[in-house]
Amino acid sequence: MSKHRVSRRQFLNYTLTGVGGFMAAGMLMPMVRFAVDPVLQPKGAGDFHPTKLKVDEITNEPQRVDFSYEQKDAWYVSEVTNTAWVYKNEKGEIVALSPICKHLGCTVNWNGDQKHQNMFYCPCHNGLYEKNGKNVPGTPPTAPLDAYPTKVVDGYLYLGKPKANPFV
């Protein structure tokens, strides 16, 4: 036996502290896991989504490309459909622009206005963008169109999430 005897009060204090610590850990662990688990989950199918457009079919004239993918939000899976304007620039690079106007979120169209040929036109407030997505000064849009990162897999075009336009 030890020379230092534990009093009843110390024994109860140690016991209650230990039991309380285990109970607190049991309550906190699910909350910590709830907060940290999404960060630790592996990414799904990746950041790039396939389109039906073959890279050989891309010209220097912007063409509308619709693509869709499955989006999973917790237990709910939905089909998301997006659009991009795709063409090859003078350097032969594939350019994929978002059709969402930076003014109010309307959809822009290529050659959508007879007065402004070879430009993207937003019908909501007569917004104009150049072919590379740069906003025309003096029109409502305050920023260039976003651009999709592109990737080629087996001859088909894959598009990522829209980012700031690097072609402007």
Side-chain angles (χ1 to χ4, degrees):
M1 290 229 333
S2 170
K3 291 182 182 179
H4 301 291
R5 297 189 61 116
V6 177
S7 68
R8 285 186 205 153
R9 181 173 292 199
Q10 287 176 323
F11 174 76
L12 285 174
N13 193 11
Y14 295 152
T15 304
L16 290 176
T17 302
V19 170
F22 280 115
M23 289 176 64
M27 289 173 39
L28 287 176
M29 283 306 293
M31 289 186 255
V32 169
R33 183 169 179 210
F34 178 77
V36 174
D37 198 37
V39 175
L40 301 177
Q41 290 294 324
K43 298 292 181 202
D47 292 336
F48 284 86
H49 306 290
T51 66
K52 296 178 182 177
L53 182 64
K54 291 184 179 181
V55 176
D56 299 340
E57 298 172 354
I58 300 174
T59 64
N60 62 351
E61 182 76 13
Q63 56 184 311
R64 183 181 169 145
V65 176
D66 295 322
F67 62 101
S68 59
Y69 58 92
E70 280 190 354
Q71 178 176 309
K72 184 175 181 182
D73 294 323
W75 63 91
Y76 181 72
V77 178
S78 61
E79 179 98 2
V80 177
T81 302
N82 279 342
T83 301
W85 287 99
V86 178
Y87 70 96
K88 284 186 181 176
N89 64 12
E90 301 82 32
K91 298 176 186 175
E93 300 171 322
I94 298 172
V95 177
L97 298 174
S98 170
I100 306 300
C101 180
K102 296 302 247 179
H103 177 226
L104 290 176
C106 298
T107 303
V108 300
N109 291 308
W110 177 250
N111 286 334
D113 184 31
Q114 296 297 330
K115 293 183 233 165
H116 302 97
Q117 291 296 313
N118 297 323
M119 297 184 97
F120 289 104
Y121 174 73
C122 178
C124 293
H125 293 101
N126 298 321
L128 292 173
Y129 294 92
E130 295 175 10
K131 186 176 180 180
N132 64 357
K134 181 181 179 190
N135 53 311
V136 175
T139 62
T142 57
L145 293 172
D146 289 335
Y148 288 99
T150 60
K151 182 168 76 169
V152 178
V153 178
D154 296 329
Y156 286 91
L157 179 67
Y158 280 64
L159 299 176
K161 294 181 181 177
K163 298 184 189 288
N165 192 332
F167 303 105
V168 177

